[in-house]
């Protein structure tokens, strides 16, 4: 798991140091508070809604974690920049940072609830994410050898996660694909409901709504599988859910982008 914390330090400390909007974490940023609230709502509310359901053969944590945390980094950021332009990069970064903060706090708390209430605080990924955020916001200079080492380790994180996901899928059962499709359709429904509530309740700028619309249409993050593997929370089924979500995104994302652009116009 060493490459994953390294990728978080490198990605947060390096990639977002150029974006002044990321300073909302420590510097206020009252203008973006409705966006932050909406981002938190479309992440947390689907988990709350789906926690009320009981699907046969899947635990509650394995069901709700992929519903809450989507692939906002490797897929979401370049896709949103391509669709909406670099002028929206600040808002895109805010949604990504918020998703990661909640993923490594609320998400890990959910997974560790059956073991120890405070087990999630011992995760190096949580502290790596906070360290990267501090370095970026406080503009702390890092030695070149440390930046290079973190970069090299971080670059192999995603390929390793995909490799581990493929191995798990080879050991899994095809019966899980039906469950994966059902779960991902429920995720899209819960995300759409959450988005509607956020738009209804909060004074959002028109340019933010397409970003939120696309964020709820993204497939579940591969990191959900890695965390479920670490906490032994039905990783085989979560792997199928991640695969099914990415397969379904071939149809869902073009439709979501079209709707978002149509709404923006």
């Amino acid at each position: 798991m060493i490459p994953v914390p390294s990728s978080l330090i490198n990605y947060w400390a390096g990639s977002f140091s150029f974006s002044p909007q990321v300073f909302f974490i420590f510097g206020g940023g009252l203008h973006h508070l409705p966006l932050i609230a909406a981002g938190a709502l479309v992440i947390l509310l689907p988990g709350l809604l789906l926690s009320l359901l009981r699907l046969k053969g899947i635990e509650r944590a394995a069901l709700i974690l992929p519903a809450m945390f989507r692939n906002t980094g490797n897929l979401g950021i370049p896709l949103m920049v391509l669709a909406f332009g670099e002028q929206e990069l600040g808002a895109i970064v805010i949604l990504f940072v918020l998703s990661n903060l909640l993923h490594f706090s609320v998400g890990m708390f959910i997974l560790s609830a059956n073991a120890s209430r405070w087990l999630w605080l011992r995760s190096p990924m949580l502290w790596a994410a906070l360290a990267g955020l501090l370095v970026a916001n406080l503009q702390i200079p890092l030695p070149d050898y440390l930046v290079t080492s973190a970069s090299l380790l971080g670059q192999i994180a995603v390929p390793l996660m995909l490799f581990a996901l493929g191995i798990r899928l080879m050991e899994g059962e095809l019966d899980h694909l039906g469950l994966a499709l059902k779960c991902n359709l429920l995720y899209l429904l819960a995300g759409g409901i959450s988005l509607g509530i956020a738009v209804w309740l909060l004074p959002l700028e028109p340019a933010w709504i397409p970003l939120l619309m696309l964020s709820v249409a993204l497939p579940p993050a591969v990191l959900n599988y890695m965390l479920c593997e670490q906490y032994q929370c039905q990783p085989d089924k979560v792997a199928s859910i991640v695969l099914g979500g990415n397969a379904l995104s071939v149809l869902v994302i073009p439709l979501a982008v079209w709707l978002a652009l149509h709404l923006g116009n």
Side-chain angles (χ1 to χ4, degrees):
M1 297 294 288
I2 292 177
V4 177
S6 300
S7 70
L8 290 171
I9 294 175
N10 177 63
Y11 205 49
W12 286 37
S15 298
F16 299 143
S17 59
F18 62 85
S19 181
Q21 287 86 347
V22 79
F23 285 82
F24 80 92
I25 297 290
F26 298 107
L30 296 178
H31 172 70
H32 290 96
L33 280 181
L35 176 64
I36 298 168
L41 193 62
V42 299
I43 291 172
L44 299 176
L45 189 55
L48 181 61
L49 292 174
L50 291 172
S51 67
L52 303 175
L53 298 180
R54 293 293 183 271
L55 290 185
K56 183 179 179 181
I58 187 168
E59 298 176 7
R60 179 182 296 174
L63 172 66
I64 67 176
L65 198 72
M68 297 168 64
F69 303 108
R70 327 296 285 179
N71 190 353
T72 55
N74 296 307
L75 177 60
I77 291 177
L79 182 62
M80 290 182 187
V81 171
L82 177 64
F84 308 115
E86 291 190 3
Q87 67 272 13
E88 299 299 333
L89 185 59
I92 295 169
V93 168
I94 286 175
L95 292 176
F96 171 76
V97 171
L98 179 65
S99 177
N100 274 263
L101 285 176
L102 293 175
H103 205 166
F104 294 114
S105 55
V106 176
M108 297 181 71
F109 178 80
I110 292 171
L111 286 174
S112 62
N114 294 330
S116 171
R117 184 177 296 272
W118 305 110
L119 183 63
W120 60 281
L121 288 174
R122 291 159 49 187
S123 171
M125 288 182 285
L126 171 65
W127 299 109
L130 292 176
L133 188 61
L134 282 171
V135 169
N137 278 268
L138 301 180
Q139 297 183 324
I140 300 173
L142 297 176
D144 290 341
Y145 71 87
L146 184 59
V147 174
T148 302
S149 300
S151 177
L152 290 174
L153 286 172
Q155 287 172 15
I156 67 172
V158 173
L160 278 181
M161 285 192 287
L162 293 174
F163 186 72
L165 177 66
I167 292 175
R168 171 60 72 175
L169 289 170
M170 289 180 62
E171 297 173 351
E173 301 176 4
L174 292 179
D175 295 342
H176 295 163
L177 294 180
L179 175 65
L181 178 60
K182 183 188 300 184
C183 289
N184 278 286
L185 292 176
L186 287 173
Y187 297 165
L188 292 172
L189 177 61
I193 293 172
S194 303
L195 175 62
I197 293 174
V199 172
W200 178 55
L201 287 178
L202 299 168
L204 298 173
E205 291 189 3
W208 294 343
I209 297 176
L211 301 178
L212 292 166
M213 181 184 297
L214 191 53
S215 68
V216 300
L218 294 170
V222 179
L223 190 57
N224 291 314
Y225 158 70
M226 297 298 296
L227 292 176
C228 287
E229 185 77 68
Q230 180 183 356
Y231 287 91
Q232 289 301 299
C233 181
Q234 295 185 310
D236 53 338
K237 294 181 180 178
V238 175
S240 296
I241 289 173
V242 171
L243 176 65
N246 280 272
L248 192 62
S249 69
V250 176
L251 299 175
V252 172
I253 287 181
L255 178 61
V257 170
W258 183 85
L259 288 174
L261 291 174
H262 180 74
L263 179 63
N265 292 330

